[in-house]
Amino acid sequence: MASGDSLSRRGVLWDLDGTLADSRDYHWRAWQEALGEEGVRVTEDQFQASFGQRNDSILAAWLGADADPAVVRRIGEAKEAYYRRLVREEGIDPLPGARDWIETLHSDGWRQAIASSAPRLNVEVMHRALGFGDRIQVLVGAQDVSRGKPDPEVFLLAAKRLGISPDRCVVVEDAGAGIEAANRAGMASIGVGGEGVSAARVVVNTLSELPGNAFELLVKQG
């Protein structure tokens, strides 16, 4: 990217679950439904440890590496179908500060993407339910990459699709795997939630706590 225009661009790459919206309960209910149909049970601690990972990694940990691929696929597809139904039927609201920041960044000329470990259909359903519209220009989900977080592929692809150099991007994440992915991508990061995100450049409990110049400062610092 050598042009002056491309060098002036700035991008924000948003994680979705736990960062822009709290969909934890929907995921938990959907996993319980899908796993219960197969006679499988997991604890809330196991569920908590799965945050930020793709379904193939999650189910390998829960069912064992030698689990029948057909069973893994069936459970994963059922879970996501239940999850999307819950979002459509019950709706979902952005977390504190999320909508305000997306609006502000859009007004200030930042390009924005959702870069998630979730299946692409989930990302699309959530994006519509949250009502962010064209303020988010790019959506990247699990099917768009071959490796999940903490591999940086999802963030590098989102930056490429936005047309912005990695060093001009800021990642916003609530999971340690996502912060590691951002660091490996050479991107500044904001950790939301406090737990497991201490490696981020900035850590806050909620997005509404961020100072007004937080994103600008992170890009300037490089």
Side-chain angles (χ1 to χ4, degrees):
M1 293 187 184
S3 72
D5 179 60
S6 64
L7 289 173
S8 68
R9 291 176 181 168
R10 303 158 299 172
V12 179
L13 313 182
W14 298 95
D15 175 54
L16 181 55
D17 294 316
T19 301
L20 290 176
D22 183 3
S23 51
R24 182 188 189 282
D25 181 60
Y26 288 168
H27 282 293
W28 176 234
R29 289 161 60 188
W31 275 124
Q32 287 180 304
E33 187 79 22
L35 291 167
E37 291 178 352
E38 304 287 340
V40 178
R41 295 287 184 271
V42 296
T43 67
E44 286 208 49
D45 286 343
Q46 287 175 295
F47 170 63
Q48 184 78 24
S50 73
F51 289 3
Q53 301 176 39
R54 290 168 28 143
N55 281 356
D56 50 2
S57 299
I58 293 170
L59 288 167
W62 291 349
L63 304 179
D66 59 347
D68 184 341
V71 173
V72 171
R73 183 170 56 254
R74 184 169 66 242
I75 292 174
E77 290 175 353
K79 179 265 176 179
E80 300 309 343
Y82 287 129
Y83 172 80
R84 290 190 291 270
R85 186 191 70 197
L86 289 169
V87 173
R88 291 189 188 104
E89 292 180 353
E90 300 184 23
I92 194 162
D93 294 319
L95 282 165
R99 187 178 301 281
D100 289 343
W101 269 113
I102 285 175
E103 294 283 355
T104 296
L105 291 164
H106 177 70
S107 296
D108 290 345
W110 291 70
R111 291 177 60 77
Q112 301 180 76
I114 290 176
S116 173
S117 298
R120 177 60 182 258
L121 281 175
N122 289 24
V123 176
E124 293 172 355
V125 168
M126 287 279 283
H127 179 247
R128 285 194 295 271
L130 291 166
F132 294 142
D134 62 1
R135 293 157 185 78
I136 303 285
Q137 291 87 22
V138 167
L139 305 178
V140 180
Q143 285 82 0
D144 297 304
V145 297
S146 57
R147 299 173 300 277
K149 304 170 188 178
D151 190 281
E153 184 181 8
V154 66
F155 292 134
L156 292 171
L157 178 60
K160 181 179 180 180
R161 290 183 176 176
L162 286 175
I164 301 176
S165 173
D167 65 349
R168 301 284 294 172
C169 291
V170 178
V171 168
V172 189
E173 264 281 358
D174 76 314
I179 297 300
E180 182 180 344
N183 291 340
R184 290 170 64 182
M187 300 176 181
S189 58
I190 295 172
V192 183
E195 295 183 12
V197 294
S198 59
R201 295 270 286 277
V202 174
V203 178
V204 291
N205 289 317
T206 69
L207 290 170
S208 58
E209 295 178 5
L210 282 171
N213 61 350
F215 288 89
E216 192 68 48
L217 284 177
L218 284 171
V219 167
K220 285 181 178 179
Q221 290 169 0

